[in-house]
Amino acid sequence: MVSALGMTAVLAGCGVGTGSDAVTLRLVAADYGDSGSNSSQRYWDALAEAYEARHPDVTVDVTVHSWSDVDREVRELVDAGRAPDMAQIGSYADYAAKDLLYRADDLLSIPTQANFVSQLATAGQVKGVQYGLPFAASTRVLFYNKTLFAKAGITPPESWEDLAEAARALKAQGVKYPYALPLGPEEAQAETMQWLLSGGGGYLDTVGTYGLDSARNVDTFTWLKDELVGKELTGPVAPGKLNRAAAFAAFTAGDVGMLNGHPSLMKAAEKKGVKFGMVPTPGVDGQSRSTLGVADWMTAFKKNGHQEAVGDFLDFVYDDENVLDFSRRYDLLPVTTSASGTMGAAEQDKDLKPFLDQMPLSELYPVGETSWAAVAAQLKKRIGRAVAPGDDPETVLAQLQSTALRAENAASAG
């Protein structure tokens, strides 16, 4: 390793400062691996080592937590006055609202900031200012079991009507879950948004306020209840009790005809020998004009005052080589335009191309709303009732809309 003195000229060019002042940057990150052998800790350790080799007066200390723990761990650090320099987590808006975060343009070089995929950069904004730096992304497509479809003599659906017809044919063949509809508390907000978008609606209205009980959203859930759930085409577990992980497990066991899925389902299905296909999300009158996009976020806290060093490290993090390395390790989509172009043209990434092709059509959760966490929590708890016997979609969505407006008012008042 070259001495700090020997690197003075290089560091001056890199913008991290010079001299003997050592800087330790602390990053808390989420784990995308499913075992110790592919833990994100390994990725970050290698990345930190590569960066430190070029910047001997900077130490990057990375702690990785599981997704079930990382947001809580960061919140506890912040509440205790010990915020990390950076946190790679699931949300950012509440920290931005409290003026705890650096703006993107306070940190990144112009080329780095301009290189983010536009939908992701926009989703990282609060009141027009970007605080959330997209770190990993995915979209959703419809997975179908090719073996079950062949036995039923059907083709992949393009519209809701096609999907219902396929589900009826699969049920007639004894398929356990003709269409798996996971509206359970694990990730109901994802399945819900996917369906709302395919019906021409969504969580927000045209002026950017919550519109959960819009006529289009009510129509979507009425169709789901009447045409799928009510006709016993969604399997033996009530949608409000079916979690995404259980739906995915049923698909890899060969018990599901169709379901919405993200890239990680590919490897899981391949490991179990399930022959599957993927098509764009069916919509109310043909292929859906929009699909669900999901992003996780890198944030940078002001607390420790390492603005310049953090910015330089993040420019390195978002170098195409590093973005592609991470995306390929964990079957995720790149968050930069240049890396997306590379992946779209690369033979080694052909399995991810269906998801990459959906990115221009994607819409993300309203993560820039400080009320979103509270709204998502209520959706997870209650949306399953919208398709349950004895409940009414319009009533359930109206109740959720009232909850959303209260959360928005509370966030604004705070």
Side-chain angles (χ1 to χ4, degrees):
M1 185 175 290
V2 183
S3 70
L5 182 62
M7 285 293 288
T8 297
V10 176
L11 289 173
C14 294
V16 176
T18 61
S20 59
D21 292 341
V23 175
T24 296
L25 299 179
R26 292 181 171 82
L27 166 64
V28 178
D31 195 354
Y32 291 79
D34 55 13
S35 66
S37 63
N38 72 343
S39 167
S40 295
Q41 188 73 55
R42 291 185 173 226
Y43 171 82
W44 284 112
D45 286 348
L47 193 73
E49 183 178 354
Y51 184 79
E52 290 166 354
R54 303 182 190 185
H55 304 85
D57 59 352
V58 179
T59 300
V60 182
D61 181 4
V62 185
T63 304
V64 170
H65 295 285
S66 71
W67 268 112
S68 59
D69 296 329
V70 67
D71 287 288
R72 175 181 51 79
E73 292 281 351
V74 171
R75 188 165 301 281
E76 289 177 357
L77 288 171
V78 173
D79 290 346
R82 297 185 292 113
D85 295 285
M86 295 161 284
Q88 186 266 302
I89 47 181
S91 61
Y92 64 86
D94 51 346
Y95 296 126
K98 296 174 183 175
D99 196 29
L100 300 179
L101 302 179
Y102 287 116
R103 299 159 51 122
D105 54 12
D106 288 334
L107 297 168
L108 304 176
S109 67
I110 292 173
T112 298
Q113 189 176 0
N115 197 24
F116 287 129
V117 173
S118 61
Q119 294 98 315
L120 304 179
T122 299
Q125 295 178 356
V126 175
K127 297 180 179 177
V129 177
Q130 186 179 357
Y131 294 93
L133 313 181
F135 181 74
S138 69
T139 57
R140 300 292 195 268
V141 298
L142 185 77
F143 282 72
Y144 65 96
N145 184 308
K146 286 185 173 181
T147 303
L148 298 179
F149 266 58
K151 286 181 179 178
I154 53 178
T155 56
E158 294 184 5
S159 67
W160 288 359
E161 184 178 345
D162 295 342
L163 189 147
E165 183 178 346
R168 290 192 293 269
L170 291 163
K171 182 184 178 184
Q173 290 290 317
V175 175
K176 192 172 182 180
Y177 293 88
Y179 178 84
L181 182 65
L183 296 176
E186 179 192 1
E187 203 185 36
Q189 81 282 6
E191 184 75 9
T192 297
M193 185 167 173
Q194 185 83 343
W195 275 99
L196 296 184
L197 290 172
S198 72
Y203 288 138
L204 303 181
D205 61 22
T206 55
V207 295
T209 58
Y210 287 108
L212 277 76
D213 60 347
S214 70
R216 285 183 173 179
N217 290 348
V218 170
D219 287 347
T220 294
F221 266 83
T222 299
W223 187 90
L224 278 173
K225 182 177 181 180
D226 293 347
E227 301 301 325
L228 292 186
V229 181
K231 294 183 178 177
E232 299 182 344
L233 300 177
T234 54
V237 180
K241 296 185 181 300
L242 181 66
N243 281 326
R244 178 194 55 79
F248 278 19
F251 186 81
T252 62
D255 292 331
V256 174
M258 302 171 280
L259 83 171
N260 288 321
H262 53 64
S264 69
L265 184 55
M266 293 189 300
K267 281 187 178 177
E270 287 167 356
K271 284 181 181 178
K272 294 295 184 72
V274 174
K275 295 180 180 179
F276 63 90
M278 299 178 291
V279 293
T281 304
V284 62
D285 55 4
Q287 181 179 322
S288 178
R289 295 175 181 82
S290 187
T291 190
L292 172 64
V294 177
D296 303 320
W297 304 97
M298 179 69 75
T299 58
F301 288 88
K302 296 179 179 180
K303 175 72 176 177
N304 303 315
H306 295 148
Q307 176 180 344
E308 197 171 359
V310 168
D312 191 80
F313 176 67
L314 290 177
D315 276 339
F316 180 72
V317 167
Y318 286 107
D319 179 81
D320 273 3
E321 181 180 350
N322 297 325
V323 171
L324 284 166
D325 181 12
F326 187 87
S327 300
R328 287 165 172 162
R329 286 189 192 212
Y330 300 110
D331 288 327
L332 292 163
L333 303 183
V335 297
T336 63
T337 301
S338 53
S340 296
T342 298
M343 179 174 278
E347 177 66 20
Q348 74 181 96
D349 300 314
K350 63 182 180 180
D351 288 348
L352 285 170
K353 196 169 188 310
F355 300 93
L356 199 62
D357 288 345
Q358 293 300 301
M359 184 57 78
L361 305 174
S362 67
E363 290 190 26
L364 280 75
Y365 300 131
V367 289
E369 303 290 333
T370 53
S371 57
W372 170 241
V375 174
Q378 289 303 309
L379 276 163
K380 291 178 183 181
K381 288 180 182 178
R382 298 158 64 182
I383 193 62
R385 289 171 38 209
V387 296
D391 275 299
D392 172 56
E394 186 171 7
T395 300
V396 173
L397 289 170
Q399 291 169 345
L400 285 167
Q401 172 70 3
S402 296
T403 299
L405 293 178
R406 286 197 299 273
E408 181 67 14
N409 290 335
S412 297

